[in-house]
C-alpha cells in the first residue's frame, strides 16, 4: 500500500524503529484490547502491517487508531479486512497527509478490539510491516505479542447489547404499572359523562 504513496522508496541505513504488540491475559467472554505500538528511531510519516492470531482462541471485532498520529491530518485504511476464519487482518495502514511535521515519539498505532473464545494462548504476529518517512522505508524491528485466555468471565453482556436500563432516544419510556393519576382522571371523566346524561334525559322526561 505505501509503495503507491512513495514509489521511489529505499531502505535507510539508520538504526531501527521498533513496532511491537503487547502481551495480554483475559478470560473467555471478556472484551479486551491488544495494542500495537511504535518506538521510532527516526521521523515517521506512515506505517502498514498485517496481523495474525489464532481464531480459535479469540475473535477480533474491530480495529481503531491509537494516539501515534494525534493532532495530524491522516488517512487510515477505511476497509481493513478481518478474516475470523483464518485469523488474519490485512489492509492496515495510516499516513500523515500534507507537508506537516512527522512523528518521532513512542505511541500506539492501533487498538485491536477482541473477545476471548476459549482457554489457551495465541501469538499476535505482526508481519509484512513497514514504516516510512516522506521519501523512504526505514529499518524496522518487529516484536509480536501474545494473548492468554484463562478462565471464564461470568455474566458478560454481549458487546452490542444495551445496558438493562437503556431507553432508545426515539422510543418513549414505557410505564408497566397504571399510575394513580390515570385512574383519577378516568373516574372524573366517567362521572362528568354520567351527569351530562342524567341532565339531558332528565329534561326530556320532565
Amino acid at each position: 500500500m505505501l509503495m503507491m504513496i512513495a514509489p521511489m522508496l529505499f531502505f535507510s541505513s539508520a538504526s531501527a524503529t521498533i513496532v511491537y504488540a503487547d502481551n495480554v491475559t483475559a478470560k473467555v467472554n471478556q472484551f479486551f484490547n491488544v495494542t500495537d505500538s511504535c518506538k521510532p528511531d527516526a521521523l515517521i510519516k506512515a506505517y502498514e502491517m498485517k496481523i495474525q492470531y489464532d481464531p480459535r482462541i479469540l475473535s477480533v471485532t474491530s480495529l481503531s487508531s491509537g494516539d501515534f498520529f494525534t493532532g495530524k491530518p491522516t488517512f487510515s485504511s477505511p476497509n481493513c479486512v478481518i478474516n475470523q476464519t483464518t485469523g488474519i487482518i490485512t489492509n492496515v495502514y495510516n499516513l500523515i497527509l500534507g507537508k506537516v511535521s512527522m512523528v518521532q515519539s513512542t505511541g500506539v498505532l492501533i487498538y485491536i478490539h477482541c473477545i476471548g473464545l476459549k482457554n489457551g494462548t495465541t501469538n499476535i504476529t505482526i508481519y509484512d510491516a513497514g514504516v516510512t518517512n516522506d521519501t523512504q522505508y526505514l529499518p524496522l524491528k518487529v516484536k509480536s505479542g501474545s494473548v492468554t485466555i484463562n478462565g471464564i468471565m461470568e455474566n458478560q453482556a454481549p458487546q452490542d447489547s444495551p445496558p438493562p436500563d437503556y431507553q432508545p432516544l426515539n422510543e418513549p419510556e414505557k410505564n408497566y404499572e397504571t399510575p394513580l393519576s390515570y385512574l383519577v382522571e378516568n373516574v372524573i371523566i366517567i362521572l362528568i359523562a354520567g351527569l351530562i346524561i342524567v341532565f339531558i334525559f332528565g329534561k326530556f322526561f320532565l
Side-chain angles (χ1 to χ4, degrees), residues 164-191:
D165 58 349
Y166 170 76
Q167 288 288 343
L169 293 178
N170 60 351
E171 180 179 330
E173 184 175 353
K174 296 181 176 64
N175 290 313
Y176 295 99
E177 295 181 3
T178 304
L180 180 60
S181 59
Y182 178 83
L183 293 175
V184 172
E185 289 173 3
N186 280 274
V187 168
I188 293 173
I189 291 171
I190 292 170
L191 288 174

Side-chain angles (χ1 to χ4, degrees), residues 99-131:
K99 301 274 185 189
V100 298
S101 59
M102 293 179 283
V103 174
Q104 198 173 355
S105 299
T106 298
V108 176
L109 299 178
I110 58 170
Y111 295 100
I112 308 171
H113 306 291
C114 312
I115 179 172
L117 298 180
K118 63 177 289 188
N119 288 335
T121 299
T122 175
N123 290 329
I124 304 298
T125 303
I126 301 170
Y127 68 104
D128 287 355
V131 295

Side-chain angles (χ1 to χ4, degrees), residues 24 26-27 30-34 58 112-116 147 149:
V24 177
K27 297 179 182 294
Q30 180 181 356
F31 294 97
F32 60 93
N33 297 330
V34 177
L58 61 85
I112 308 171
H113 306 291
C114 312
I115 179 172
V147 171
I149 305 298

Side-chain angles (χ1 to χ4, degrees), residues 62-82:
S62 63
L63 273 67
S64 60
S65 296
D67 60 1
F68 188 73
F69 286 146
T70 294
K72 308 290 184 182
T74 61
F75 178 75
S76 59
S77 169
N79 297 305
C80 67
V81 179
I82 302 171

Side-chain angles (χ1 to χ4, degrees), residues 16-142:
T17 290
I18 302 173
V19 169
Y20 58 97
D22 58 3
N23 299 315
V24 177
T25 299
K27 297 179 182 294
V28 174
N29 296 332
Q30 180 181 356
F31 294 97
F32 60 93
N33 297 330
V34 177
T35 58
D36 283 1
S37 302
C38 180
K39 183 178 181 181
D41 193 68
L43 291 170
I44 305 294
K45 184 170 185 175
Y47 69 81
E48 63 183 350
M49 71 179 76
K50 297 176 183 176
I51 302 162
Q52 187 171 30
Y53 59 95
D54 188 339
R56 298 168 299 177
I57 303 298
L58 61 85
S59 174
V60 173
T61 58
S62 63
L63 273 67
S64 60
S65 296
D67 60 1
F68 188 73
F69 286 146
T70 294
K72 308 290 184 182
T74 61
F75 178 75
S76 59
S77 169
N79 297 305
C80 67
V81 179
I82 302 171
N83 190 324
Q84 184 56 31
T85 301
T86 61
I88 293 176
I89 307 172
T90 57
N91 205 31
V92 181
Y93 63 87
N94 200 355
L95 64 140
I96 298 173
L97 297 174
K99 301 274 185 189
V100 298
S101 59
M102 293 179 283
V103 174
Q104 198 173 355
S105 299
T106 298
V108 176
L109 299 178
I110 58 170
Y111 295 100
I112 308 171
H113 306 291
C114 312
I115 179 172
L117 298 180
K118 63 177 289 188
N119 288 335
T121 299
T122 175
N123 290 329
I124 304 298
T125 303
I126 301 170
Y127 68 104
D128 287 355
V131 295
T132 78
N133 56 25
D134 54 359
T135 59
Q136 61 188 13
Y137 273 103
L138 302 171
L140 179 66
K141 294 179 180 179
V142 173

